[in-house]
């Protein structure tokens, strides 16, 4: 299980002592003791024991329960149900719901076999206040005819009336404009496989041939790392407990103390046993305060810092050559003419012709089944790659090479010019200097050099990363750069090394089978929601006519969460003929709808949820009956499907038993003997990794790259979503990692003269996006939105804590109270994320954020924005 680490008792019963010293940027760093290192994850659990572990792990929930399992004795007249939190905070907490006389009366953490994952935050425990909230939507409501959207004038209608009207509007839209004029919009409000984002609305969209918009939140991080690891959008992280084998954890651009307490718990334990914890962030967050070292950087320039560090690693021979030689594609040859790897797909001529013929035949065979089927078939064609063998002075296939060259330029016998992947990377990185990294980030050159040397010398570095670096237009370049740095220093695919932060399940149920029926017409899921305002406002896509007239939002609140909020309010809404929102609360989106439908809570249905940041999949028991007239998302989709005439796809009598049988019908599920009956019996099943071990990406299972090797050069860089966008002018530049200035946030941006402050929307411990935004218990702790600013910036504007300020730019504004907070660096304004528009005195915090997206990751770029603020007079 990685390096041997001694427990505290072997060190004389005490943990290594630490003393803080000041870093060149005013942060804090610690002199690390040379004492032997502490515990491994496995020995930690052995020494603490399950009972002690459970009591320590509950965290903020400890005041409610120190013993929470299915065998807990309920109070008289109570029943206990196995449940789970299904928001996208990634905790995926198991919860036990206490029900008395049909009413939910208490929530408490439920145990996992691995006690380190047991626990819950205040949001999860306060969910019953969302269920019984006086502001909960109780019945279908239609906007009063003749009133403006957002005016708040509603009339109650029956479910029959609502379904009849919505289905009629949908049919009229299909008849007049075609099925792609209907968009189903879902984000991340409910990760249930049956009644959440994965449920039956995609089936309805497929029966119609409608659009299922693609979410844009938080995708740049995975897109950048995928360039190196081939792990797709989400599967790049190790299991959180892996940090117990790390010698250093670098928390880069995120704040797990507030947003991922389950991750922080493991990091804190590792820190107590001697692991160094470093936070890199523009804000001295709660995590930075609890780290050994805080490195403050200017927002948006992290990618350049990582590239300069990588260049220094190569220039000063700090490369982990054992890793590069055995686990990377550094020796693969790249053709100068096509920029592609020399492979059996393109050399020699006879092999290339055979490959082309195979591609043509498979494309013709699978094209009627759609682009996914074609891509899957083509990916199965065997391809091998060439390296230059110094022993024979010629290109040979990888497995045949005796002495592969990692640097150099060569040519084939027929004149194709070649260079190794590593040589190309080395040349690319040579342009990124320590001096320029210091200028852009605000660090000193000496500090960057010293930190780089420490980073490269560590035994095992884990970078805890979520979405702070993601929320810029150069977001994927930021994470791509860090992944290259990790590869060059050998900090991948070994115990304690790699990425942590968003550990997603490696098991996938058969969701496509849930959606594709004999009435399937097509499921277009490649249009990012971020470009919907442009599509709806112009009724075009990529310059071609593309009517878009009706939208249904479920598990989503786009009016609150879309960057550049006025894009939604001023361009999308006025050009939609009809808008339906399904939710529990009157969110900003619901306020703008023509029809609002009441959704059930998580505790009013049965469901399945796979863990995000733990290795388990959890069964949600139905704890209480649906309140008022609420219905689940899948039931609403079912009613609309029947009303539209898709009886074969939505037959009478179908329920979770039918749908779960489809979900568990694929090979991945059958290999683990998964079934609804088993989940009902066991409640929680570990579906990823092995009990007692840490899942390490690239070690537990191979990277899904060419020959399972880490990519120093990306052979065929593809966008996350292909919606017909023209990327021809960028394609050749996407093979090698590079730096790109932020759109607005960069220190050299001329917009700085007009708007001198970078605008961040840090994530709060009291909300997940806009969920929990109206819970009374949490509002007592966090009553209103504030603009957090540094004292220097406040003084320059004559503003003090408690003053009302207007934060503004050319896109919009909001009026809030000011909070002078020295954890915010000069030059930054931060309004914590998740407030609704009616919680501001004027405007809304998303009005000023960045609406733009890069067409490669198609990911939101909220932080890439500049603003100013001034004292506000009513």
């Amino acid at each position: 299980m990685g390096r041997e680490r001694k427990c505290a008792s072997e060190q004389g019963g005490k943990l290594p002592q630490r003393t803080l010293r000041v870093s060149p940027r005013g942060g804090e760093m610690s002199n690390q003791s040379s004492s032997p290192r502490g515990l491994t994850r496995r020995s930690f659990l052995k020494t603490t024991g399950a009972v002690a572990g459970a009591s320590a792990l509950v965290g903020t929930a400890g005041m409610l329960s120190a013993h929470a399992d299915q065998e807990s004795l309920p109070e008289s007249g109570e029943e206990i149900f196995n449940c789970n939190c299904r928001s996208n905070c990634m905790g995926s907490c198991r919860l036990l719901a206490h029900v008395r006389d049909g009413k939910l009366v208490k929530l408490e953490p439920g145990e996992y076999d691995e006690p380190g994952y047991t626990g819950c935050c205040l949001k999860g425990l306060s969910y019953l206040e969302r269920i019984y909230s006086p502001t909960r939507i109780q019945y279908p409501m239609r906007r009063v005819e003749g009133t403006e959207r957002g005016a708040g004038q509603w009339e109650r209608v029956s479910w029959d009336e609502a379904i009849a009207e919505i289905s009629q509007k949908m049919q009229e839209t299909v008849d007049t404009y075609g099925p792609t004029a209907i968009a189903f919009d879902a984000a991340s409000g409910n990760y249930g496989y049956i009644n959440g984002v994965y449920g039956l609305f995609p089936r309805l969209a497929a029966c119609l041939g409608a659009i299922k918009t693609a979410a844009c939140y938080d995708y740049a991080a995975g897109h950048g790392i995928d360039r190196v690891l081939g792990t797709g959008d989400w599967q790049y992280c190790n299991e959180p407990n892996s940090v117990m084998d790390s010698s250093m954890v670098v928390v880069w651009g995120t704040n797990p103390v507030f947003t991922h307490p389950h991750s922080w718990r493991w990091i804190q334990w590792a820190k107590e046993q001697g692991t160094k914890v470093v936070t890199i962030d523009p804000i001295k967050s709660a995590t930075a305060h609890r780290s050994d070292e805080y490195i403050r950087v200017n927002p948006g320039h992290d990618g350049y810092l990582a590239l300069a560090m990588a260049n220094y690693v190569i220039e000063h021979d700090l490369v982990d050559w054992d890793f590069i030689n055995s686990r990377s594609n550094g020796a693969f040859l790249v053709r100068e003419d096509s920029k592609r790897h020399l492979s059996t797909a393109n050399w020699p001529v006879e092999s290339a012709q055979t490959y082309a013929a195979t591609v043509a035949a498979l494309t013709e065979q699978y094209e009627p089944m759609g682009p996914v089927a074609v891509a899957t078939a083509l990916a199965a064609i065997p391809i091998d790659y060439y390296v230059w063998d110094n022993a024979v002075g010629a290109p040979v296939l990888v497995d045949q090479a005796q002495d592969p060259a990692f640097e150099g330029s060569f040519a084939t016998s027929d004149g194709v010019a070649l260079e190794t992947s590593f040589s190309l990377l080395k040349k690319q990185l040579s342009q990124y200097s320590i001096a320029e990294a210091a200028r852009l980030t605000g660090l000193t050159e000496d500090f960057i050099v010293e930190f780089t040397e420490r980073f490269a010398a560590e035994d095992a570095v884990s970078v805890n990363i979520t979405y702070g670096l993601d929320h810029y237009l150069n977001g994927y370049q930021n994470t791509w750069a860090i992944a290259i740095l990790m590869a060059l220093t050998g900090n991948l695919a070994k115990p304690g090394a790699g990425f942590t932060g968003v550990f997603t399940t490696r098991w996938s149920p058969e969701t496509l089978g849930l959606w594709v029926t004999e009435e399937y017409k097509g499921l277009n899921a490649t249009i990012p929601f971020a470009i919907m305002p442009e599509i709806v406002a112009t009724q075009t896509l990529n310059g071609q006519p593309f009517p878009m007239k009706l939208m249904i939002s479920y598990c989503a609140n786009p009016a609150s969460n879309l960057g550049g909020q006025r894009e939604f309010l001023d361009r999308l809404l006025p050009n939609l003929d009809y808008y339906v929102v399904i939710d529990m609360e009157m969110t900003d989106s619901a306020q703008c709808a023509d029809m609002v439908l009441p959704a059930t809570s998580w505790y009013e249905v049965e469901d399945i949820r796979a863990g995000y940041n733990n290795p388990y999949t959890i069964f949600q028991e139905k704890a209480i009956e649906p309140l008022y007239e609420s219905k689940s998302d899948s039931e609403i989709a079912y009613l609309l499907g029947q009303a539209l005439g898709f009886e074969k796809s939505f037959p009478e009598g179908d329920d979770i038993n039918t749908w779960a049988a489809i979900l568990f019908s694929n090979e991945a599920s059958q290999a683990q003997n998964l079934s609804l009956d088993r989940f009902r019996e066991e409640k929680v099943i570990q579906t990823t990794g092995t009990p007692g071990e840490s899942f390490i990406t690239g070690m537990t299972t191979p990277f899904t790259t060419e020959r399972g090797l880490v990519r120093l050069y990306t052979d065929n860089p593809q966008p996350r979503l292909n919606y017909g966008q023209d990327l021809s002018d960028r394609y050749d530049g996407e093979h090698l990692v590079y730096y790109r200035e932020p759109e607005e946030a960069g220190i050299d941006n001329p917009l700085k003269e007009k708007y001198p402050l970078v605008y961040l929307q840090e994530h709060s411990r009291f909300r997940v996006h806009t969920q929990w935004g109206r819970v009374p218990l949490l509002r007592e702790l966090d009553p209103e939105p504030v603009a957090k600013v540094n004292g220097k910036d406040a003084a320059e504007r004559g503003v003090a804590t408690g003053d009302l300020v207007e934060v503004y730019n050319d896109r919009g504004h909001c009026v809030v109270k000011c909070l002078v907070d020295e954890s915010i660096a000069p030059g930054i304004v931060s309004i914590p994320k998740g407030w609704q528009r009616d919680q501001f005195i004027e405007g809304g915090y998303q009005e000023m954020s960045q609406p733009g997206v890069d067409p490669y990751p198609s990911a939101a770029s909220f932080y890439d924005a500049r603003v100013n603020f001034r004292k506000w007079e009513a």
Side-chain angles (χ1 to χ4, degrees), residues 226-272:
D226 175 71
R227 295 290 179 90
V228 180
L229 305 186
T231 44
D233 299 326
W234 300 109
Q235 296 187 345
Y236 48 91
C237 283
N238 299 334
E239 194 174 341
N241 57 20
S242 64
V243 298
M244 295 301 292
D245 291 306
S246 303
S247 61
M248 176 188 279
V249 174
V250 179
V251 181
W252 207 324
T254 188
N255 183 18
V257 169
F258 278 8
T259 61
H260 277 209
H262 294 70
S263 289
W264 177 252
R265 182 182 298 132
W266 289 104
I267 295 171
Q268 178 66 25
W269 283 335
K271 179 174 179 285
E272 290 170 358

Side-chain angles (χ1 to χ4, degrees), residues 138-283:
Q138 299 184 12
Y139 41 77
M141 295 188 297
R142 177 170 53 206
R143 177 170 58 89
V144 173
E145 186 176 355
T147 65
E148 293 184 3
R149 286 176 176 151
Q153 297 190 46
W154 304 96
E155 61 178 338
R156 181 175 183 173
V157 295
S158 69
W159 271 103
D160 287 345
E161 289 177 283
I163 294 299
E165 178 175 307
I166 296 168
S167 59
Q168 178 185 348
K169 296 285 187 181
M170 293 173 76
Q171 190 62 59
E172 289 173 353
T173 301
V174 171
D175 293 343
T176 306
Y177 301 104
T180 56
I182 296 175
F184 290 87
D185 157 50
S188 54
N190 181 349
Y191 274 127
Y193 276 121
I194 302 297
N195 294 297
V197 296
Y198 304 105
L200 295 190
F201 272 113
R203 177 187 287 197
L204 179 57
C207 289
L208 287 163
I211 300 296
K212 166 69 176 67
T213 61
C216 294
Y217 315 118
D218 310 331
Y219 278 90
H223 186 74
I225 296 170
D226 175 71
R227 295 290 179 90
V228 180
L229 305 186
T231 44
D233 299 326
W234 300 109
Q235 296 187 345
Y236 48 91
C237 283
N238 299 334
E239 194 174 341
N241 57 20
S242 64
V243 298
M244 295 301 292
D245 291 306
S246 303
S247 61
M248 176 188 279
V249 174
V250 179
V251 181
W252 207 324
T254 188
N255 183 18
V257 169
F258 278 8
T259 61
H260 277 209
H262 294 70
S263 289
W264 177 252
R265 182 182 298 132
W266 289 104
I267 295 171
Q268 178 66 25
W269 283 335
K271 179 174 179 285
E272 290 170 358
Q273 304 307 317
T275 297
K276 294 182 287 292
V277 179
V278 179
T279 291
I280 303 175
D281 203 299
I283 294 175

Side-chain angles (χ1 to χ4, degrees), residues 66-108:
H67 180 67
D69 58 34
Q70 196 64 29
E71 274 59 57
S72 295
L73 293 176
E75 295 183 19
S76 176
E78 279 189 359
E79 295 180 273
I80 296 179
F81 296 87
N82 188 77
C83 302
N84 62 84
C85 198
R86 298 207 293 280
S87 76
N88 77 336
C89 72
M90 308 302 174
S92 309
C93 297
R94 182 187 182 193
L95 289 160
L96 301 180
H98 292 246
V99 176
R100 190 181 307 144
D101 298 327
K103 183 175 181 179
L104 180 62
V105 295
K106 184 177 74 169
L107 295 169
E108 63 176 341

Side-chain angles (χ1 to χ4, degrees), residues 622-635:
K622 183 179 179 180
I624 58 175
E625 290 299 318
L627 294 184
Y628 315 115
E629 296 182 21
S630 63
K631 295 184 182 296
S632 70
D633 293 340
S634 287
E635 184 179 359

